[in-house]
Amino acid sequence: MAHVEPTSVVDITASVSNFVAEPTEADAEVESSEPRTVFSDPTNFNIKHPLNCGWTFWFDNPSKKKTFNSWSQNLKKLITVNTVEDFWGVFNNIAKPSEISVGANFHLFRDGIKPEWEDPANEHGGKWVFAAGKGKHDIDDLWLHTLLACIGEAFEVEDELCGAIFSSRRDVYRITLWTRSCDSEEIALAIGQKFKEAISPTQETIEFSSHADSSKSKAKKLTV
């Protein structure tokens, strides 16, 4: 059967809705039985491993709507995950990033932070950007490793990391990490180095700039 590419917020939301089904009698039976982890029983586990904080999946496809208001309205909050098991349940039931349409974006941000420059947690921050031509790398794998680094708090200054964005464009894929601040070169470089380790072995140069300078061609940028 031919694959149907998800091109709308509705498609992605439906995938998540299928994951968050209502509890069944079988679920209740599992809950009342002896403790089982996902490692010992991947299907009927009843113990979950909490994340350090909640993380929210978002999706948007603004390719046909360019104004801020319509983009903001198109930004769809999918689901917040608080455990390792819930993360995998969502990740395994939505489209792979390489399958989303050109112009669309996946986001994973700390719960309570919207993937918008105007959010108080983002307005004074910056971003690390990795970009590569389509077909050059296993982009699905690189995105997964980026997300695992985020939810696993692999970055030395945990609270500095706000979230990650995957963007599909006509000729390139882009993975971006957003930070809470941009005034410490030491902190920015520490996050950038961890990011590069997460997407290893691409060996591509990644760049950091403040959100305020993102549109300036001659703005100061850090690279690793």
Side-chain angles (χ1 to χ4, degrees):
M1 180 181 295
H3 171 74
V4 179
E5 183 180 85
T7 57
S8 70
V9 174
V10 173
D11 295 317
I12 301 296
T13 305
S15 297
V16 175
S17 297
N18 290 334
F19 164 68
V20 287
E22 291 296 322
T24 64
E25 291 183 6
D27 295 327
E29 182 179 347
V30 169
E31 287 294 330
S32 63
S33 62
E34 70 278 3
R36 298 192 187 97
T37 68
V38 69
F39 306 106
S40 62
D41 192 336
T43 302
N44 297 314
F45 61 88
N46 57 11
I47 293 179
K48 294 185 177 182
H49 299 77
L51 300 174
N52 191 51
C53 72
W55 290 84
T56 301
F57 284 89
W58 302 75
F59 178 75
D60 74 270
N61 185 3
S63 58
K64 297 180 181 179
K65 300 179 179 180
K66 299 298 185 181
T67 67
F68 173 79
N69 286 338
S70 62
W71 179 87
S72 183
Q73 292 167 3
N74 204 2
L75 179 64
K76 179 67 176 180
K77 181 178 180 180
L78 299 177
I79 190 172
T80 299
V81 296
N82 294 285
T83 69
V84 173
E85 289 76 10
D86 288 344
F87 167 81
W88 283 112
V90 173
F91 186 84
N92 290 332
N93 281 277
I94 59 177
K96 294 179 180 179
S98 62
E99 296 174 338
I100 65 176
S101 58
V102 172
N105 306 282
F106 268 136
H107 315 256
L108 183 73
F109 272 64
R110 290 187 187 276
D111 188 27
I113 302 178
K114 293 188 69 174
E116 299 176 337
W117 287 357
E118 294 75 15
D119 189 284
N122 300 322
E123 60 181 349
H124 300 299
K127 61 182 180 181
W128 279 102
V129 179
F130 164 79
K134 292 187 174 181
K136 189 173 182 180
H137 301 293
D138 184 347
I139 199 66
D140 295 331
D141 192 55
L142 298 186
W143 175 238
L144 172 59
H145 280 81
T146 300
L147 298 190
L148 293 178
C150 290
I151 68 171
E153 307 292 355
F155 301 94
E156 294 181 9
V157 189
E158 297 177 0
D159 290 342
E160 270 295 303
L161 187 68
C162 295
I165 302 174
F166 176 88
S167 304
S168 175
R169 299 299 180 259
R170 184 175 300 277
D171 299 315
V172 300
Y173 290 124
R174 197 158 55 233
I175 298 177
T176 309
L177 283 187
W178 282 24
T179 62
R180 189 178 297 270
S181 65
C182 61
D183 52 356
S184 171
E185 185 172 315
E186 181 181 359
I187 291 176
L189 287 174
I191 292 174
Q193 190 58 51
K194 285 293 184 180
F195 181 27
K196 192 164 186 176
E197 290 174 9
I199 58 175
S200 178
T202 66
Q203 301 303 316
E204 304 279 356
T205 297
I206 58 176
E207 294 185 341
F208 178 85
S209 63
S210 69
H211 292 317
D213 289 341
S214 293
S215 60
K216 301 176 183 179
S217 59
K218 296 184 179 179
K220 179 183 178 181
K221 295 183 178 181
L222 301 176
T223 59
V224 294

